[in-house]
Amino acid sequence: MSSVPEAPLVELTPEAAGLVRRLRDAHGPLMFHQSGGCCDGSAPMCYPDGEFRTGGSDVLLASLAVEGVQESVPFWMSTSQYEVWRHTRLIVDVVEGRGSGFSLEAPEGVRFLIRSRLI
């Protein structure tokens, strides 16, 4: 596993932070992972922390501080995806609609979505 020593590359919209707080209350500590593969690979997936195994093919982009959440929320990305997005600030937002059934927000009727801005 490697980490990115640069300035944080990930931020949450206020709506995403609110959803993270609700999911944290329901499921305990959380983590995000964004892969470049199948299963809605363009959307960040939210899991209970440690439920998704990370390894040498993943990059820790950020440890997100969310107001009202005790611990930081790690945001991981596959290395191959990171190579494509390395010059981009990722903005985690929430939109209505059903995303992947693997992500914790699926039953909420909303899904996390990445918006981006070149840095």
Side-chain angles (χ1 to χ4, degrees):
M1 290 177 276
S2 59
S3 63
V4 178
E6 304 156 5
L9 299 175
V10 182
E11 62 186 70
L12 298 171
T13 64
E15 295 79 10
L19 181 55
V20 166
R21 281 189 289 277
R22 290 194 311 274
L23 293 173
R24 168 53 174 97
D25 288 346
H27 301 282
L30 305 173
M31 68 180 289
F32 281 100
H33 188 273
Q34 182 164 340
S35 71
C38 68
C39 303
D40 207 10
S42 63
M45 307 282 266
C46 185
Y47 302 98
D49 192 22
E51 185 172 297
F52 186 94
R53 291 193 179 259
T54 58
S57 63
D58 298 296
V59 175
L60 178 61
L61 291 183
S63 292
L64 302 168
V66 180
E67 186 177 333
V69 175
Q70 282 184 309
E71 64 284 326
S72 62
V73 179
F75 189 101
W76 294 88
M77 180 179 277
S78 68
T79 301
S80 60
Q81 185 94 337
Y82 173 70
E83 291 305 319
V84 174
W85 291 77
R86 72 181 312 137
H87 301 294
T88 307
R89 176 172 298 275
L90 303 178
I91 304 158
V92 181
D93 200 359
V94 176
V95 295
E96 289 187 24
R98 186 158 165 85
S100 171
F102 299 117
S103 195
L104 288 175
E105 81 281 3
E108 304 283 323
V110 295
R111 63 187 179 100
F112 288 109
L113 175 79
I114 290 292
R115 300 185 190 283
S116 61
R117 183 173 66 228
L118 287 177
I119 52 176

